[in-house]
Amino acid sequence: MSLLKKVFTNGRLVVIVVAVILLVDQVIKIWVKTNMCLHESIRITSWFYINYIENMGMAFGMHLGSKVVLSVFRLVAIAVLVYYTWKQVKDHARTSYVLCLSMILGGAIGNLVDCMFYGLCFAGSSEYYTSYFVPFGTGYAPFLMGKVVDMFYFPLIETEWPDWMPIIGGNHFVFFSPVFNFADTCISVGVVLLLLFFRKEISEITFKQEAKEET
């Protein structure tokens, strides 16, 4: 009975964590998209800005081939992660491990929502006016071709390289220049926690994969 209770509790945890991440992520993105012009920046502190950009790539603005390929890759990766997370729930994995998986899953779905639906329901963003909702299907891009909204910018250190340094001397330097969103944060935190505290579970995945390849 206690095992069934754990499955129910962890399963409910996955649903709640993913739902909360999606809600927070989409509220932030929609507010930024409908209240700020593209590339507009709001200074919160000397090291924290709300800087509205859009990108066609992965987390932190990285790129991976065409937009359609990237969106399909996201769909497949999320499907695999959903299956694996549910399998861990049924196998009575540690709740903290399931929590980390849920954070990664919620973040991945959050960015996928942008790709799937933003192009269908929003007008294109511009440096001169804010975006706005349009009748579904009449937006700036077709299905799976929407752009991901990013806004968090943390230039923790901003300085100039010394002139005596070869090649980069005199160039402007910003420590931690990527612009990212709440979904990216959840993915990154989940991955870091997995690497730090769940090496046993990760090594078991590797071992099972190697055993399957040998057979």
Side-chain angles (χ1 to χ4, degrees):
M1 189 66 175
S2 59
L3 292 179
L4 288 175
K5 184 177 180 181
K6 184 175 182 180
V7 169
F8 176 76
T9 301
N10 284 351
R12 185 170 56 181
L13 175 67
V14 173
V15 173
I16 292 174
V17 170
V18 171
V20 169
I21 290 175
L22 275 175
L23 177 62
V24 174
D25 181 60
Q26 291 303 310
V27 166
I28 295 172
K29 288 175 177 175
I30 291 173
W31 185 90
V32 168
K33 192 168 181 65
T34 57
N35 287 273
M36 297 178 65
C37 296
L38 191 62
H39 300 144
E40 182 180 351
S41 182
I42 300 175
R43 178 173 177 171
I44 307 301
T45 69
S46 60
W47 48 268
F48 174 37
Y49 293 75
I50 302 298
N51 186 17
Y52 173 30
I53 67 168
E54 293 182 330
N55 71 78
M56 301 290 285
M58 301 181 73
F60 302 104
M62 295 184 291
H63 293 268
L64 180 66
S66 72
K67 180 64 178 178
V68 174
V69 171
L70 176 58
S71 296
V72 172
F73 172 79
R74 277 194 175 124
L75 280 169
V76 173
I78 289 172
V80 172
L81 186 55
V82 167
Y83 170 77
Y84 177 75
T85 302
W86 177 241
K87 189 173 184 301
Q88 294 306 303
V89 170
K90 291 196 300 181
D91 291 344
H92 318 299
R94 286 191 285 173
T95 300
S96 52
Y97 183 57
V98 172
L99 175 61
C100 291
L101 294 175
S102 302
M103 292 176 63
I104 299 171
L105 179 59
I109 295 175
N111 282 333
L112 181 63
V113 168
D114 297 26
C115 299
M116 293 176 67
F117 301 116
Y118 275 26
L120 297 173
C121 61
F122 282 106
S125 298
S126 169
E127 296 181 356
Y128 307 104
Y129 54 82
T130 61
S131 183
Y132 51 90
F133 284 103
V134 297
F136 191 79
T138 63
Y140 67 86
F143 183 63
L144 292 178
M145 294 293 287
K147 298 178 182 179
V148 176
V149 175
D150 291 330
M151 74 294 295
F152 297 138
Y153 177 47
F154 288 87
L156 299 177
I157 300 175
E158 195 165 359
T159 185
E160 308 290 331
W161 288 106
D163 291 332
W164 54 265
M165 296 187 69
I167 302 177
I168 61 174
N171 291 339
H172 190 64
F173 169 74
V174 178
F175 176 74
F176 202 74
S177 59
V179 182
F180 55 99
N181 57 45
F182 184 74
D184 295 334
T185 303
C186 294
I187 294 172
S188 300
V189 170
V191 170
V192 170
L193 291 175
L194 287 180
L195 294 175
L196 289 177
F197 302 108
F198 301 96
R199 295 179 182 177
K200 178 182 177 182
E201 284 82 354
I202 295 175
S203 62
E204 287 178 354
I205 297 173
T206 305
F207 176 77
K208 290 179 181 179
Q209 182 64 32
E210 290 176 350
K212 183 182 296 185
E213 291 176 355
E214 290 178 357
T215 57

